[in-house]
């Protein structure tokens, strides 16, 4: 099964913080909207970004309202246009995506996919999920991490 994804800034930043940006290679196609790239660039592009394969894309974000930032709107629009999974850790963007019929994965889901598609062992995936919670700027509750680890055990 071919798996295409569009990332907003969150997963790029948070996975880079735990030196796991290479997990994005589990996607056959990774698209990064220009607005997202520019947002990440302002904070300093992670060095590991040059080691993964992705395509920068333009997208018309006018269909997703003003509640979300430009990067999230662009990622939503690109995911819809390319029939791809949206990668975001933002709750409002996740809810908007679900309402628009777009599949969504956050950083925890990307790690779980890394386990199911082979690059990570179960223990590496669980450790990465815990690292997201303890070592990054992402707010993740214990319940979310434990749910993610249970999903690993169900695969």
């Amino acid at each position: 099964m071919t798996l295409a994804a569009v990332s907003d800034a969150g997963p790029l930043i948070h996975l880079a913080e735990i030196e796991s940006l290479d997990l994005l290679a589990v996607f056959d196609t990774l698209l990064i909207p220009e607005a997202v790239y520019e947002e990440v660039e302002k904070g300093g592009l992670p060095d590991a970004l040059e080691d993964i394969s992705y395509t920068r894309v333009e997208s018309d974000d006018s269909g997703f309202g003003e509640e979300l930032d430009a990067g999230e709107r662009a990622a939503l629009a690109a995911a819809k246009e390319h029939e791809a999974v949206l990668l975001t850790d933002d709750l409002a963007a996740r809810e908007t995506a679900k309402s628009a019929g777009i599949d969504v994965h956050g950083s925890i889901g990307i790690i779980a996919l890394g386990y199911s598609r082979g690059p990570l062992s179960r223990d590496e995936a669980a450790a990465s999920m815990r690292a997201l919670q303890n070592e990054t700027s992402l707010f993740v509750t214990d319940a979310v991490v434990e749910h993610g680890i249970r999903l690993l055990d169900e695969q």
Side-chain angles (χ1 to χ4, degrees):
M1 173 173 121
T2 300
L3 193 54
V6 175
S7 187
D8 83 357
L12 298 174
I13 294 166
H14 303 128
L15 291 173
E17 289 175 327
I18 60 168
E19 299 180 8
S20 295
L21 203 55
D22 60 325
L23 285 177
L24 293 172
V26 300
F27 298 99
D28 301 304
T29 302
L30 177 63
L31 305 173
I32 300 176
E34 287 296 333
V36 171
Y37 188 88
E38 291 167 7
E39 183 179 332
V40 174
E41 189 175 40
K42 285 180 187 171
L45 288 173
D47 292 337
L49 192 58
E50 64 188 44
D51 296 332
I52 61 171
S53 177
Y54 64 91
T55 302
R56 289 167 55 179
V57 296
E58 291 289 341
S59 59
D60 175 15
D61 66 359
S62 60
F64 290 100
E66 295 299 317
E67 309 81 52
L68 303 172
D69 71 30
E72 290 158 350
R73 291 191 314 266
L76 279 157
K80 186 89 168 158
E81 178 182 342
H82 295 278
E83 298 179 355
V85 173
L86 175 67
L87 306 178
T88 185
D89 291 319
D90 184 85
L91 182 58
R94 293 174 73 91
E95 290 172 356
T96 301
K98 288 177 186 175
S99 295
I102 299 169
D103 288 335
V104 183
H105 287 298
S107 293
I108 294 277
I110 295 166
I111 293 168
L113 194 58
Y115 169 66
S116 70
R117 288 196 122 186
L120 293 178
S121 71
R122 184 253 184 235
D123 290 343
E124 290 169 330
S128 292
M129 289 179 185
R130 288 189 179 100
L132 268 178
Q133 181 182 33
N134 299 319
E135 301 170 21
T136 73
S137 57
L138 177 64
F139 174 75
V140 182
T141 64
D142 289 337
V144 169
V145 171
E146 293 309 315
H147 177 72
I149 292 170
R150 279 194 307 277
L151 289 176
L152 299 175
D153 295 333
E154 293 172 5
Q155 294 184 28

